[in-house]
Amino acid sequence: MTADLQKYRAVVENAKDLPSLASVVSRLIEMIKSPTTSAAEIGELISEDVALTSMTLKLVNSPFYGFSQRINSITHAIVIMGFSKVKNLALAGSLLQSFKSGDAPGFDYGGFWEHAIGTAIAAEVLAEAIDSDYCDEAFVAGLLHDQGKLILIRYFPEESAKVRKLIDRQQSTMFEAERQVLGFDHSQVGNWLAEKWNFPEHLTLAIRLHHSPLLARQHRQLVWLVHTADIFSRALCIGDGGDPYIPELSKVLWNQLGLTPSLVDQVFKEVLSGMAKAGEFLDLIRKN
Ligand SMILES: [Fe+2]
Ligand SMILES: [Fe+2]
């Protein structure tokens, strides 16, 4: 690690006001990481926490999932949606609540979260379209892929202003401009936060490698899904990805994911219709 990188990392790690996770969220992450955790144990953990239960049930009952009957308990949600889906949804909701929206000048928090939710939905829809093993993890990975941007804007406002100027002046993407100004980009910063919060490995890797997907060695398909979903949500003009450019999807990933023009067309339609029904996810942020 270069001296500069170490210096920046130390600022982030020692920041007193870095968001900390509620203990129930840390316990949820620990349980999700452990392969021996049973559905009953996670169900119990969520049910014991009134706020976590009501938030999870609100998301479960969102028009986004389109269940005709109302789901009134975590046990019922697990029966209907499956254990893996419910635990990932609880994680997504509780992490959304952990971030506080700020008011940094020049940073569009609303646009940021819309992009995050658009990418989350695109990752999930795409995962299902290609019958991926990561259907349940894709949403939360897409949701948090750009979390490093929130740290940069908060702790490095001067550098962030330089990055914005460079994006306009050179017409470069945000991560390229960050690399020029800082020597690293928001995916690296997102990785520091993921490690600090002890995220599961697949989630950490999806955040760390979302702008360099071909470097992935483990959980490759999840990394590829998030990278592609980021491009899709930009292509669909959902929210604010930090710059107005749509990177080209590499041929290697196009082939690896088995994409076809008609499949992409279908995914785009489903993402837009999912976005129109995902108000509950945006609500969680607006309440902060
Ligand atoms: Fe990014
Ligand atoms: Fe992004």
Side-chain angles (χ1 to χ4, degrees), residues 29 35 38 41 61 82 91 115-116 126 153 208 210 213 224 238 276-277 281:
I29 291 176
S38 67
E41 282 170 303
N61 286 300
L91 182 63
H115 168 74
L126 183 58
I153 194 75
R208 185 197 305 164
H210 77 270
W224 298 342
I238 300 172
K277 295 184 224 150
F281 290 92

Side-chain angles (χ1 to χ4, degrees), residues 80 108 112 168 173 182 186 193 246 251 256:
I80 302 263
D108 172 8
F112 170 87
D168 292 340
T173 61
L182 296 154
H186 61 269
L193 190 59
I246 306 167
K251 262 213 171 77
Q256 289 282 4

Side-chain angles (χ1 to χ4, degrees), residues 228-265:
T228 308
D230 181 32
I231 295 177
F232 283 7
S233 97
R234 286 161 174 270
L236 291 166
C237 301
I238 300 172
D240 181 1
D243 60 68
Y245 309 109
I246 306 167
E248 204 177 316
L249 183 65
S250 88
K251 262 213 171 77
V252 179
L253 289 197
W254 178 274
N255 292 335
Q256 289 282 4
L257 292 172
L259 300 182
T260 61
S262 67
L263 187 118
V264 171
D265 223 34

Side-chain angles (χ1 to χ4, degrees), residues 209 211-217 220 223-224 227 250 252-253 256:
L209 298 175
H211 288 301
S212 38
L214 296 175
L215 295 183
R217 293 293 167 266
R220 291 196 302 177
V223 173
W224 298 342
H227 171 80
S250 88
V252 179
L253 289 197
Q256 289 282 4

Side-chain angles (χ1 to χ4, degrees), residues 36-185:
T36 56
T37 304
S38 67
E41 282 170 303
I42 291 213
E44 233 168 75
L45 176 80
I46 299 173
S47 304
E48 271 170 19
D49 188 286
V50 178
L52 186 55
T53 302
S54 74
M55 185 266 304
T56 307
L57 289 178
K58 191 176 169 201
L59 296 181
V60 165
N61 286 300
S62 160
F64 179 62
Y65 292 108
F67 294 114
S68 52
Q69 53 176 148
R70 207 181 148 70
I71 298 170
N72 289 318
S73 71
I74 296 299
T75 321
H76 190 193
I78 291 174
V79 170
I80 302 263
M81 298 180 99
F83 164 51
S84 177
K85 188 91 200 167
V86 172
K87 73 180 180 187
N88 277 290
L89 204 54
L91 182 63
S94 52
L95 288 171
L96 265 182
Q97 286 187 315
S98 305
F99 284 100
K100 297 261 181 285
S101 284
D103 57 353
F107 189 78
D108 172 8
Y109 280 91
F112 170 87
W113 282 113
E114 241 182 86
H115 168 74
I117 289 171
T119 305
I121 292 176
E124 176 167 317
V125 168
L126 183 58
E128 276 165 13
I130 64 164
D131 202 14
S132 166
D133 288 341
Y134 291 99
C135 286
D136 295 330
E137 291 80 13
F139 188 94
V140 64
L143 189 68
L144 299 174
H145 75 285
D146 275 337
Q147 65 176 10
K149 288 182 186 173
L150 295 175
I151 302 294
L152 282 177
I153 194 75
R154 185 154 164 184
Y155 297 106
F156 306 106
E158 278 172 29
E159 288 88 339
S160 296
K162 278 190 201 158
V163 166
R164 272 196 302 277
K165 276 198 193 127
L166 214 55
I167 291 170
D168 292 340
R169 201 175 340 124
Q170 294 187 349
Q171 304 189 337
S172 52
T173 61
M174 190 174 213
F175 76 90
E176 285 163 343
E178 287 167 346
R179 284 177 192 176
Q180 245 178 289
V181 172
L182 296 154
F184 55 91
D185 64 55

Side-chain angles (χ1 to χ4, degrees), residues 32-33 88 91 134 137-138 140-141 199-207 218-219 222-223:
I32 287 175
K33 283 167 77 172
N88 277 290
L91 182 63
Y134 291 99
E137 291 80 13
V140 64
F199 281 2
E201 192 188 24
H202 63 268
L203 198 50
T204 306
L205 283 172
I207 293 166
Q218 286 122 4
H219 303 291
L222 182 66
V223 173

